Amino acid sequence: SATRPSVLVSEKSTTQGAGKISAATVSELRGDLDRIVLKAVALDPDLRYQSAEALEADLVRYLEGRPVLAKEAGVWYRTVKFVGRHRLASAFGMIALLGLIVGGIGLGVGLDRAMRSRDTARQALIESERQRNRAEFVNTFLLEDMLGSIDPNINQGRDITVREVFDRASDQLAARTDLDLETQYATLRLIGLNYRQIGANSEAIDALTQAAELADRVHGVPNERSIRIRLDLYDTIVSNGRGGRAAVAEVLDRDAQALLSADDVLYQRVRMRTSQSIEELAGIVDGLEADLETNPESRRVDLLVALANLGHLYAFASMPAERLETRRKSYELSLAMYGPDHSTTLSALAAYAAMRAAIQRDKQTLVLLKDAYEPARRLMGLEHPITLRNMRSYAFMLARLGEHEQAIALLEENVEAYGRLTGETSIQTTLSLSYLGRVQLMAGHAEAALPLLIRVQELQAKQWSAGHKNNVYAPMQVAKVHLAMGDGASARDLAERTLGIVEGGSLAAVELHRILADAFKLEGEHGQAVEHAWSSFELLGATEPETLEFFDVGRALLASLDGLGKAAMRDELSGMLERTRKEWDRSNTP
C-alpha cells in the first residue's frame, strides 16, 4: 500500500532539520486527509474518486466534520464525527454512557438511570437536529431568499420596496411544507412584527394571528409563547384602530390567569393591556414609576403601554386632565428612551398634542402637532400610519386656528394617501374624509363639503352599528351643511331621524336640538324653533364639559338664539358659558 502523506512529511521534517515543518501540520495530515489523498492517487482506478466533484465533496465533508467517503464508516468512526459536530448533544450522550457504567453498582437503579439518560440524550439529539434545520432555514430563506430578492439582476434594475420583500417572504413561507410548526410560527411572528413596523397592519394582524394559532398547536393551551405573540397582536390592533381587540384580550386574560402567577412580569403585561380598572392600572403605573431609574428598558416599555391604556380609561371616565397627564408622561418617557426622531416618540408626541388640542387651542399646541408630523413624514414617508395620523391632527388644528386653505390642502393629500395605504373605504380614509368635509364647511365651502360628508355618512353606516356615535356624528355634519346652504327641510329631516338614536344627555343631543331650532327658524316656524332652542339650552346646562367642543356648541346655540326674541335665555346662556370657561381654564391649563 502507498505511504501516508503524514508519514512522508514527518520523515522529510526529520531529514531536513527540526522545525522546518511543524508538528501541527503533521498532525492535521493524519486521519481523514491522509485517506482522501491516498484515495485520490490510488493505483487502481476503481478505488479513486470518479470525478473532481467527488473529490471536492469529500473535502467539504472533512471541513464540516462529517464522515468522508475515503474511510469505511464504522459505528465508532461515525460516533466520533457526530461528537465533533454536536458537542452539546454528545455531552448528554456521555451522561447516558456514564449512567450505564455506574449502573453496575446497582442493577435496578442503574438501569433506570441509564434509561432516563438515554432518553435525555435522544431528545437532545432530536433537538440538535431541529436547531440545525432551523439554522439552515434561516440561512437559505431569510438571508438568501429575502435579501436576494433585492438583487437588481432579479428585479431587472427596478427598486424593490421593503413591503415587497416581506410579501415575497410571506408567500414563500406559505409554500414550505417541510418546516416544523415551531419554525413556522417563529418566522410568522417575525414577519408580522416587520409588517407592523412598515405600516402594513392587515398583513401584520394576519401573520401574528396565524403564529399564535400554530403556537397553540405545538405547545397546547395555555402556553407562554402564544401569550407573547398575542400581546404583539393586541398592540398591533390597538395602535391602528382595528377591530378584534376585545376577542384577543379575552384569550390573553384566560390564558394568563390559567398559567401565570399574579407577580409574574408577563401576567402584568397582559393586565396592563386588558384591565378595565383605573385603580389596577394606576397601581401598576405607580409600581413601574417607583423603580424607573433602575428598571431595564423592557420595563420602561411596559410603563409606556400601561400609561397609554390608563389614558384610554381616563377618557372613558371623562377625566381629561388625568388623561392629558398620562400622555405627557408617555411622551417624556419616549423622548428619554428613544430620542426625538424615533417613531414611538413621534406617536407619543402626537397623542399628547392631540389631547392638549382638545382642551387648549393655541400656537403652542400647533407647534407640538407640527413637530410630531413633519419629522415623521421626513423619516418614515407619507404613506405610513404614524405620519398620516400626525398629519391629520396637525391639519385640523390649523383649521381650528383659521388656516383653512392650508388645512384643506393637507387633508386632501391625507385622504389620497390613506386611500392608497388602507383602501378608499377603510375606517381611516373615511375619518380623514370627515375631517376634510368639516374643514371645508368651516372655510365656508358648503357646496364642496356636502358630497364629502354624504360619502362619510354612507361609509360609516356600513362600518359601525346603528347607534354608534359615528352614525350620529356623520348625519349631524350633513345637516349643518344643509343649514349653511339654506335647506331647512333637509336639515330638519336628518336631525329628527338622528335624534331618535342618540343618548338624551349627550353633547350630540344638545347639538341636534340646536340644528332643529335653526331648521325650523329657516322654515318660519318660530314656536318649534324656540322649543328646540330651550331643549338644547337645558341639556347643555346639565352637561359637564369634557373638551372644548362644549364651548363650540354653546357659542353656536348663542347664535341660534338671535332672532328668536329670547334675550333672557341668551343672557343666561352667555353668563353660564363665561363662568364655566373660567373654571375650565383653571382646571385644564397645561
Side-chain angles (χ1 to χ4, degrees), residues 209-221:
T209 300
Q210 291 179 56
E213 291 170 352
L214 287 177
D216 283 342
R217 286 174 57 188
V218 173
H219 304 292
V221 177

PDB file of all heavy atoms in Angstrom, residues 209-221:
ATOM      1  N   THR A 209     -51.764  36.427  13.949  1.00  0.00           N
ATOM      2  CA  THR A 209     -52.864  35.520  14.294  1.00  0.00           C
ATOM      3  C   THR A 209     -52.500  34.083  13.950  1.00  0.00           C
ATOM      4  O   THR A 209     -52.710  33.168  14.760  1.00  0.00           O
ATOM      5  CB  THR A 209     -54.149  35.934  13.547  1.00  0.00           C
ATOM      6  OG1 THR A 209     -54.503  37.272  13.918  1.00  0.00           O
ATOM      7  CG2 THR A 209     -55.294  35.001  13.891  1.00  0.00           C
ATOM      8  N   GLN A 210     -51.951  33.867  12.759  1.00  0.00           N
ATOM      9  CA  GLN A 210     -51.523  32.521  12.367  1.00  0.00           C
ATOM     10  C   GLN A 210     -50.434  32.000  13.301  1.00  0.00           C
ATOM     11  O   GLN A 210     -50.440  30.824  13.679  1.00  0.00           O
ATOM     12  CB  GLN A 210     -50.997  32.546  10.935  1.00  0.00           C
ATOM     13  CG  GLN A 210     -52.054  32.791   9.870  1.00  0.00           C
ATOM     14  CD  GLN A 210     -51.434  32.828   8.487  1.00  0.00           C
ATOM     15  OE1 GLN A 210     -50.758  31.890   8.070  1.00  0.00           O
ATOM     16  NE2 GLN A 210     -51.644  33.914   7.770  1.00  0.00           N
ATOM     17  N   ALA A 211     -49.493  32.868  13.668  1.00  0.00           N
ATOM     18  CA  ALA A 211     -48.395  32.450  14.549  1.00  0.00           C
ATOM     19  C   ALA A 211     -48.923  31.978  15.900  1.00  0.00           C
ATOM     20  O   ALA A 211     -48.491  30.949  16.432  1.00  0.00           O
ATOM     21  CB  ALA A 211     -47.408  33.602  14.737  1.00  0.00           C
ATOM     22  N   ALA A 212     -49.879  32.724  16.462  1.00  0.00           N
ATOM     23  CA  ALA A 212     -50.444  32.350  17.766  1.00  0.00           C
ATOM     24  C   ALA A 212     -51.183  31.013  17.680  1.00  0.00           C
ATOM     25  O   ALA A 212     -51.070  30.164  18.581  1.00  0.00           O
ATOM     26  CB  ALA A 212     -51.384  33.446  18.257  1.00  0.00           C
ATOM     27  N   GLU A 213     -51.926  30.809  16.611  1.00  0.00           N
ATOM     28  CA  GLU A 213     -52.670  29.555  16.447  1.00  0.00           C
ATOM     29  C   GLU A 213     -51.725  28.367  16.280  1.00  0.00           C
ATOM     30  O   GLU A 213     -51.971  27.283  16.833  1.00  0.00           O
ATOM     31  CB  GLU A 213     -53.609  29.673  15.247  1.00  0.00           C
ATOM     32  CG  GLU A 213     -54.761  30.653  15.498  1.00  0.00           C
ATOM     33  CD  GLU A 213     -55.562  30.955  14.238  1.00  0.00           C
ATOM     34  OE1 GLU A 213     -55.134  30.520  13.139  1.00  0.00           O
ATOM     35  OE2 GLU A 213     -56.618  31.615  14.346  1.00  0.00           O
ATOM     36  N   LEU A 214     -50.628  28.540  15.544  1.00  0.00           N
ATOM     37  CA  LEU A 214     -49.648  27.460  15.399  1.00  0.00           C
ATOM     38  C   LEU A 214     -48.951  27.170  16.724  1.00  0.00           C
ATOM     39  O   LEU A 214     -48.685  26.007  17.061  1.00  0.00           O
ATOM     40  CB  LEU A 214     -48.614  27.831  14.335  1.00  0.00           C
ATOM     41  CG  LEU A 214     -49.081  27.782  12.879  1.00  0.00           C
ATOM     42  CD1 LEU A 214     -47.964  28.249  11.947  1.00  0.00           C
ATOM     43  CD2 LEU A 214     -49.514  26.367  12.498  1.00  0.00           C
ATOM     44  N   ALA A 215     -48.643  28.212  17.485  1.00  0.00           N
ATOM     45  CA  ALA A 215     -48.012  28.005  18.791  1.00  0.00           C
ATOM     46  C   ALA A 215     -48.937  27.228  19.719  1.00  0.00           C
ATOM     47  O   ALA A 215     -48.485  26.379  20.503  1.00  0.00           O
ATOM     48  CB  ALA A 215     -47.629  29.352  19.407  1.00  0.00           C
ATOM     49  N   ASP A 216     -50.237  27.485  19.638  1.00  0.00           N
ATOM     50  CA  ASP A 216     -51.198  26.707  20.424  1.00  0.00           C
ATOM     51  C   ASP A 216     -51.159  25.233  20.032  1.00  0.00           C
ATOM     52  O   ASP A 216     -51.244  24.337  20.885  1.00  0.00           O
ATOM     53  CB  ASP A 216     -52.622  27.251  20.210  1.00  0.00           C
ATOM     54  CG  ASP A 216     -52.877  28.534  20.979  1.00  0.00           C
ATOM     55  OD1 ASP A 216     -52.117  28.824  21.919  1.00  0.00           O
ATOM     56  OD2 ASP A 216     -53.835  29.249  20.634  1.00  0.00           O
ATOM     57  N   ARG A 217     -51.050  24.956  18.741  1.00  0.00           N
ATOM     58  CA  ARG A 217     -50.994  23.566  18.265  1.00  0.00           C
ATOM     59  C   ARG A 217     -49.738  22.861  18.752  1.00  0.00           C
ATOM     60  O   ARG A 217     -49.778  21.678  19.108  1.00  0.00           O
ATOM     61  CB  ARG A 217     -51.046  23.537  16.732  1.00  0.00           C
ATOM     62  CG  ARG A 217     -52.418  23.851  16.154  1.00  0.00           C
ATOM     63  CD  ARG A 217     -52.362  23.938  14.641  1.00  0.00           C
ATOM     64  NE  ARG A 217     -51.853  22.709  14.037  1.00  0.00           N
ATOM     65  CZ  ARG A 217     -51.561  22.570  12.750  1.00  0.00           C
ATOM     66  NH1 ARG A 217     -51.730  23.608  11.920  1.00  0.00           N
ATOM     67  NH2 ARG A 217     -51.108  21.431  12.282  1.00  0.00           N
ATOM     68  N   VAL A 218     -48.626  23.587  18.795  1.00  0.00           N
ATOM     69  CA  VAL A 218     -47.357  22.970  19.192  1.00  0.00           C
ATOM     70  C   VAL A 218     -47.298  22.741  20.697  1.00  0.00           C
ATOM     71  O   VAL A 218     -46.916  21.670  21.165  1.00  0.00           O
ATOM     72  CB  VAL A 218     -46.166  23.852  18.753  1.00  0.00           C
ATOM     73  CG1 VAL A 218     -44.852  23.305  19.312  1.00  0.00           C
ATOM     74  CG2 VAL A 218     -46.095  23.917  17.229  1.00  0.00           C
ATOM     75  N   HIS A 219     -47.705  23.754  21.472  1.00  0.00           N
ATOM     76  CA  HIS A 219     -47.463  23.732  22.916  1.00  0.00           C
ATOM     77  C   HIS A 219     -48.714  23.510  23.757  1.00  0.00           C
ATOM     78  O   HIS A 219     -48.608  23.368  24.977  1.00  0.00           O
ATOM     79  CB  HIS A 219     -46.806  25.050  23.353  1.00  0.00           C
ATOM     80  CG  HIS A 219     -45.544  25.363  22.610  1.00  0.00           C
ATOM     81  ND1 HIS A 219     -44.384  24.627  22.759  1.00  0.00           N
ATOM     82  CD2 HIS A 219     -45.265  26.320  21.685  1.00  0.00           C
ATOM     83  CE1 HIS A 219     -43.429  25.125  21.977  1.00  0.00           C
ATOM     84  NE2 HIS A 219     -43.943  26.142  21.316  1.00  0.00           N
ATOM     85  N   GLY A 220     -49.884  23.463  23.125  1.00  0.00           N
ATOM     86  CA  GLY A 220     -51.106  23.317  23.897  1.00  0.00           C
ATOM     87  C   GLY A 220     -51.583  24.644  24.444  1.00  0.00           C
ATOM     88  O   GLY A 220     -50.918  25.668  24.343  1.00  0.00           O
ATOM     89  N   VAL A 221     -52.784  24.612  25.046  1.00  0.00           N
ATOM     90  CA  VAL A 221     -53.391  25.828  25.595  1.00  0.00           C
ATOM     91  C   VAL A 221     -53.591  25.640  27.087  1.00  0.00           C
ATOM     92  O   VAL A 221     -54.168  24.632  27.512  1.00  0.00           O
ATOM     93  CB  VAL A 221     -54.749  26.118  24.914  1.00  0.00           C
ATOM     94  CG1 VAL A 221     -55.412  27.346  25.527  1.00  0.00           C
ATOM     95  CG2 VAL A 221     -54.556  26.312  23.410  1.00  0.00           C
TER      96      VAL A 221
END
